[in-house]
Amino acid sequence: MINVTWLRTFCTLAEVGHFTRTAERLYMTQSGVSQHIRKLEEQLDTDLLIRQGKQFSLTNAGEQLYKEAGEILQRLSNLEQRISEDPPYEGLVRLMSPGSVGLKLYPQLLTLQQQHPKLVIDYRFAPNADIEQALANHEIDIGFMTDISDDETISCKPMAQEALILVTPATTVEPSWEQLMALGFIDHPDGAHHAGMLLTANYEQFQHINDF
């Protein structure tokens, strides 16, 4: 495979027509330019220049290489520019969060998409375990979780605090532990985690969600 650095030096030399000016344009020494040309000729096993003292002209192979290489280098330059560009309001962003968080964020994200038509937001509601797995498998870009992940490949940062609310029938104003046991528990994929946080802080009798 042709060395791109040597190829760029050769094309600059062919365009400028002078070793010293080529070195100045590429911020190299003149000997460095000569070395690149020599290495390129050795790699291609053909002469690219006809040297006449301090002057030179291109061989047929050199003319062909200069013509085709210019297009290749331009495409590489365009590719580098496109890859390095990352417009903040364009492209696909994949998010996942619990439904409670999503219900707060989604309306704002819809407004953001209306303001920036090239921005595509793929937002999915999911429990913590599914979000953690999606992050570990690089299936999403950002995940909002209500628990810190133990996966070493996932970086977690606290963002906000959300209140946990105990929902009971309207007739149960200040439920005792006995009343909760009688009512039972409607589970959720994150139910054990959330119940543990809320009930541990409010009921000393609580040990495990399986008590219900």
Side-chain angles (χ1 to χ4, degrees):
M1 183 177 294
I2 296 177
N3 185 294
V4 175
T5 302
W6 302 343
L7 189 61
R8 186 173 284 111
T9 300
F10 168 75
C11 287
T12 304
L13 178 64
E15 177 185 346
V16 173
H18 196 280
F19 275 88
T20 301
R21 289 199 293 270
T22 298
E24 292 173 351
R25 177 176 293 190
L26 297 178
Y27 302 100
M28 299 172 57
T29 62
Q30 184 172 334
S31 61
V33 173
S34 299
Q35 188 179 47
H36 281 190
I37 302 302
R38 185 175 65 256
K39 287 183 176 180
L40 184 60
E41 289 178 321
E42 292 174 354
Q43 186 180 43
L44 298 175
D45 194 24
T46 186
D47 291 334
L48 300 173
L49 305 180
I50 300 174
R51 294 166 175 80
Q52 302 164 331
K54 294 185 178 180
Q55 304 297 318
F56 70 88
S57 59
L58 300 181
T59 63
N60 290 336
E63 291 281 3
Q64 181 179 357
L65 181 63
Y66 175 56
K67 179 180 178 181
E68 297 187 22
E71 299 174 358
I72 294 172
L73 291 174
Q74 185 60 50
R75 287 200 296 270
L76 284 174
S77 178
N78 293 339
L79 177 61
E80 290 175 1
Q81 184 175 359
R82 290 196 302 272
I83 294 300
S84 62
E85 291 178 350
D86 186 15
Y89 297 108
E90 294 183 16
L92 174 65
V93 180
R94 303 165 299 174
L95 306 176
M96 288 179 74
S97 78
S100 59
V101 177
L103 291 174
K104 294 180 180 179
L105 292 180
Y106 197 58
Q108 301 177 52
L109 296 178
L110 287 177
T111 301
L112 190 63
Q113 280 190 297
Q114 291 174 340
Q115 295 172 350
H116 305 282
K118 293 184 179 181
L119 178 63
V120 179
I121 301 176
D122 180 355
Y123 202 141
R124 306 180 188 184
F125 295 174
N128 287 331
D130 291 353
I131 299 171
E132 183 179 53
Q133 184 176 3
L135 285 169
N137 295 337
H138 304 286
E139 296 171 356
I140 58 175
D141 302 300
I142 300 173
F144 295 97
M145 301 170 60
T146 58
D147 192 13
I148 297 176
S149 174
D150 293 328
D151 192 323
E152 294 182 354
T153 65
I154 297 176
S155 175
C156 296
K157 178 181 179 181
M159 298 293 294
Q161 288 186 332
E162 184 180 31
L164 285 173
I165 300 174
L166 179 63
V167 180
T168 63
T171 55
T172 309
V173 180
E174 295 184 5
S176 65
W177 178 250
E178 290 73 20
Q179 287 177 306
L180 290 184
M181 294 295 290
L183 287 172
F185 176 71
I186 300 175
D187 203 359
H188 177 272
D190 290 329
H193 170 62
H194 293 156
M197 295 174 65
L198 186 145
L199 296 178
T200 298
N202 291 275
Y203 296 92
E204 61 181 13
Q205 299 95 328
F206 176 77
Q207 294 183 358
H208 195 275
I209 195 63
N210 291 337
D211 292 342
F212 289 92

